[in-house]
Amino acid sequence: MGQKVKGAAAIRQIRRRLKKAYPKATTELNWHNPFELLIATILSAQTTDKKVNEVTPTLFSKFPDPAALAKANLKEVEEIVRPLGYFRQKARTIISVAKVLVERFNGEVPKSMHELLQLPGVGRKTAAIVLGTAFGIQEGIAVDTHVQRVAQRLGLTRNKKPDKIEQDLMELVPRKEWSWFGHALTLHGRYVCTAKNPQCGTCVLEAYCERVGVEQKRAGSSLLQ
């Protein structure tokens, strides 16, 4: 389990240093209400937040709420989200999500993990982001590719599956910090502990990092996802 991977003192230092570097870590997606955050997070799969932020102003100006998006023309939505990867699938998914919100949740984004997971295309990562960021409800740690990479390199987990990594991290981090910690690791992975050429020399976590997979990667071995 998580505690056996790294000692409590090291975990405290990692949290303390991340808190200093990213005191108000949150998503880089632009949103104004839980519905917008939910849709933007779904759209962010396999693409960058920057790209999503370029299309959501048009999307939400035309379809500002679940009722409007539920009635949207699929082709019109596809054209709006076309710059994103898998745009056809994403267009279908967000329209389906809007329909379920209207039909089952009175047009409101639910505030529980169980209910969010009933929405089409919504997994624990998306649900945890929406709950923690929009509602301040700590029900999980969102594990994206950045969190996965940083957690493994630091030695916070030996697991490779997101759900197992999440369980390890939730055991190591106080519940009140779950949402912040996920966002902090994402930002750290996005700008410092990058997939290629991580900036180890200037990393605030260098003293506590096991650099799992980093040296192998530099030597041209297989990537540690």
Side-chain angles (χ1 to χ4, degrees), residues 71-160:
K71 299 176 183 177
N73 177 274
L74 176 59
K75 292 299 182 182
E76 184 176 5
V77 176
E78 285 181 351
E79 284 305 309
I80 295 172
V81 301
R82 180 179 287 273
L84 309 179
Y86 305 99
F87 70 93
R88 290 190 177 88
Q89 177 184 334
K90 289 178 180 179
R92 288 194 299 269
T93 296
I94 63 175
I95 291 175
S96 297
V97 165
K99 289 179 178 178
V100 175
L101 290 178
V102 171
E103 295 168 1
R104 298 182 55 185
F105 299 104
N106 198 32
E108 299 292 332
V109 176
K111 297 181 180 180
S112 76
M113 179 68 74
H114 173 71
E115 290 175 318
L116 281 169
L117 291 179
Q118 296 176 36
L119 299 175
V122 173
R124 283 195 61 88
K125 182 190 78 171
T126 295
I129 288 174
V130 172
L131 290 170
T133 309
F135 301 119
I137 298 173
Q138 309 293 323
E139 284 201 38
I141 295 176
V143 178
D144 62 8
T145 55
H146 300 296
V147 173
Q148 187 171 341
R149 179 175 65 254
V150 176
Q152 289 170 337
R153 285 177 175 173
L154 284 169
L156 299 181
T157 182
R158 301 297 187 218
N159 285 302
K160 296 182 179 180

Side-chain angles (χ1 to χ4, degrees), residues 28-91:
E28 292 188 303
L29 293 167
N30 294 333
W31 61 283
H32 300 93
N33 54 59
F35 168 68
E36 290 189 0
L37 178 60
L38 171 61
I39 297 302
T41 304
I42 293 171
L43 293 176
S44 70
Q46 306 297 320
T47 192
T48 65
D49 289 359
K50 181 180 179 181
K51 277 288 187 184
V52 175
N53 290 338
E54 291 174 358
V55 305
T56 49
T58 300
L59 179 68
F60 295 138
S61 68
K62 289 181 176 290
F63 311 107
D65 53 43
L69 185 57
K71 299 176 183 177
N73 177 274
L74 176 59
K75 292 299 182 182
E76 184 176 5
V77 176
E78 285 181 351
E79 284 305 309
I80 295 172
V81 301
R82 180 179 287 273
L84 309 179
Y86 305 99
F87 70 93
R88 290 190 177 88
Q89 177 184 334
K90 289 178 180 179

